[in-house]
Amino acid sequence: MMTLKVISRLLEYPSEALWLHRDELIEALEQADELPVTRAVQLMVFVREYLNEDLLDMQAQYCELFDRGRATSLLLFEHVHGESRDRGQAMVDLMAQYQQQGLQIDCRELPDHLPIYLEYLTALPTDETIEGLQDIAPILALLGERLKQRESRFSVLFDFLLELSHSDIAAEQLSKQVATEVRDDTPEALDAVWEEEQVKFFADEKTCGSEVAAHQHRFANAVVPQYLDLSVGSHVGVQK
């Protein structure tokens, strides 16, 4: 699925190679037929405008958008498992699926990074590609709405992904949910989440409980990463 491959490239960290091959991306989209013509044209306009921007500026904006806080993280399991132990096993399972398709990733890359997962889906038969997109459709919808409310150009890419997934998600309800969320990418929010606690090697029972409570309070206003209802079978390559 060529359209999916192009979107996966656009969601990667901006690189000089991507900027140099902008014309090839346009040519690939001109030959693709996965989206309606009007939507395909919109995607081509995105490519031209985005890759016409200054590369260094886009790299800075990318980090600001996707690497600050969890709300817009492109790491899929952030939105399913957070930092729980289940995330480790999910990573192992997903890597096994990649290896079955002959996909090798750099040791510095995490397998649940959205561009990598999309690249993996392009190697599958079309029906399995669509099924794989449907598995992560709730995450895609949530990310897209958050980006839309932050007035980011990237939000349209998530609209395209949802179209390719043939998913029907209630956008109005999702919009209201996102509008009430507390931003987790502000300096104050980041300080609250990542502030180091004073280390006490000989904490007694009286202080231990209060320290745990304080730790939990620091995360109280952070965006909770549990967005998917795993009890109904929503998953990203994880066997229950």
Side-chain angles (χ1 to χ4, degrees):
M1 188 178 286
M2 185 56 65
T3 301
L4 191 60
K5 187 179 287 289
V6 170
I7 294 175
S8 74
R9 296 287 186 270
L10 295 172
L11 286 172
E12 292 176 350
Y13 178 75
S15 65
E16 185 176 356
L18 183 63
W19 257 241
L20 290 174
H21 293 87
R22 70 187 77 183
D23 292 337
E24 294 178 26
L25 294 181
I26 296 294
E27 292 174 4
L29 290 174
E30 288 175 342
Q31 298 175 22
D33 60 358
E34 295 91 3
L35 289 173
V37 175
T38 54
R39 299 294 276 165
V41 170
Q42 285 181 305
L43 182 52
M44 285 186 272
V45 169
F46 176 94
V47 173
R48 292 188 187 281
E49 292 181 348
Y50 176 49
L51 300 184
N52 247 1
E53 300 281 3
D54 179 76
L55 174 59
L56 292 179
D57 287 344
M58 292 304 97
Q59 289 175 338
Q61 288 186 24
Y62 184 95
C63 292
E64 188 77 14
L65 186 63
F66 294 121
D67 295 338
R68 289 172 64 89
R70 288 176 171 170
T72 55
S73 172
L74 294 183
L75 297 174
L76 295 171
F77 292 144
E78 279 277 8
H79 306 284
V80 182
H81 303 296
E83 297 301 325
S84 72
R85 293 181 179 180
D86 292 338
R87 186 177 182 182
Q89 185 58 52
M91 292 280 200
V92 172
D93 294 341
L94 191 54
M95 280 295 296
Q97 292 185 22
Y98 290 172
Q99 291 170 357
Q100 288 176 3
Q101 293 298 323
L103 177 62
Q104 300 293 328
I105 66 174
D106 190 285
C107 62
R108 296 168 296 180
E109 297 175 317
L110 293 175
D112 64 334
H113 194 228
L114 178 57
I116 295 176
Y117 181 71
L118 296 179
E119 179 74 18
Y120 157 70
L121 292 183
T122 64
L124 303 178
T126 301
D127 58 338
E128 293 182 26
T129 298
I130 294 173
E131 182 180 353
L133 286 173
Q134 289 175 349
D135 284 342
I136 63 169
I139 301 176
L140 297 176
L142 193 60
L143 285 172
E145 185 58 37
R146 285 175 175 160
L147 293 170
K148 190 175 300 180
Q149 294 195 18
R150 297 186 188 191
E151 300 182 345
S152 167
R153 72 170 80 213
F154 284 98
S155 65
V156 71
L157 296 184
F158 290 82
D159 290 339
F160 295 139
L161 289 174
L162 286 173
E163 286 190 43
L164 293 172
S165 74
H166 302 166
S167 298
D168 184 16
I169 295 179
E172 182 179 353
Q173 182 178 355
L174 195 57
S175 176
K176 292 179 180 178
Q177 172 191 331
V178 172
T180 62
E181 290 179 342
V182 178
R183 289 280 293 262
D184 70 344
D185 62 335
T186 64
E188 295 79 11
L190 292 171
D191 286 344
V193 172
W194 299 113
E195 179 186 21
E196 292 183 356
E197 295 284 351
Q198 179 182 0
V199 178
K200 294 184 179 180
F201 294 99
F202 300 100
D204 55 30
E205 292 182 358
K206 293 181 179 179
T207 62
C208 183
S210 62
E211 288 176 2
V212 171
H215 174 77
Q216 292 173 338
H217 178 72
R218 290 195 297 114
F219 286 83
N221 290 326
V223 175
V224 181
Q226 307 294 336
Y227 300 129
L228 295 187
D229 184 359
L230 298 182
S231 64
V232 296
S234 293
H235 64 282
V236 184
V238 180
Q239 299 298 323
K240 295 172 57 180

